[in-house]
Amino acid sequence: MKTLPHDMRNYIVQEFLDGEDSADLTPEFDLIDNGVVDSLGLVRVISHISRTYAIPVDDIPIAPDNFRTITAICAFIDNARSETTA
């Protein structure tokens, strides 16, 4: 069974690290400080989250801390989903 962190890690690897060594990409790896995701990449991540998890773009605040690590991204998605279903 795939998990949200697994899916997000796969997305990051495919979209931002294609062909590069992803061994250091742990759930707490800082995607922004390490240059994996830049400002344009952040927009791509937000677009992916909106499409894949049915979270309206207008409901996704562009706050880098929400997208700094895979753990932070997953927490943001879980929180947004719970607010949508509440």
Side-chain angles (χ1 to χ4, degrees), residues 9-79:
R9 186 183 191 287
N10 282 345
Y11 170 75
I12 296 295
V13 169
Q14 289 175 356
E15 293 297 319
F16 299 98
L17 297 173
D18 191 28
E20 296 183 34
D21 181 15
S22 62
D24 290 340
L25 187 59
T26 64
E28 297 303 325
F29 184 83
D30 194 314
L31 301 167
I32 295 171
D33 282 351
N34 287 296
V36 174
V37 176
D38 58 12
S39 58
L40 181 58
L42 187 59
V43 172
R44 290 170 50 200
V45 170
I46 290 169
S47 177
H48 171 75
I49 290 170
S50 178
R51 282 190 323 270
T52 305
Y53 302 103
I55 301 170
V57 171
D58 291 342
D59 292 346
I60 301 175
I62 301 179
D65 285 343
N66 288 336
F67 308 100
R68 187 166 297 281
T69 65
I70 291 173
T71 298
I73 294 170
C74 293
F76 171 79
I77 293 169
D78 284 341
N79 189 36

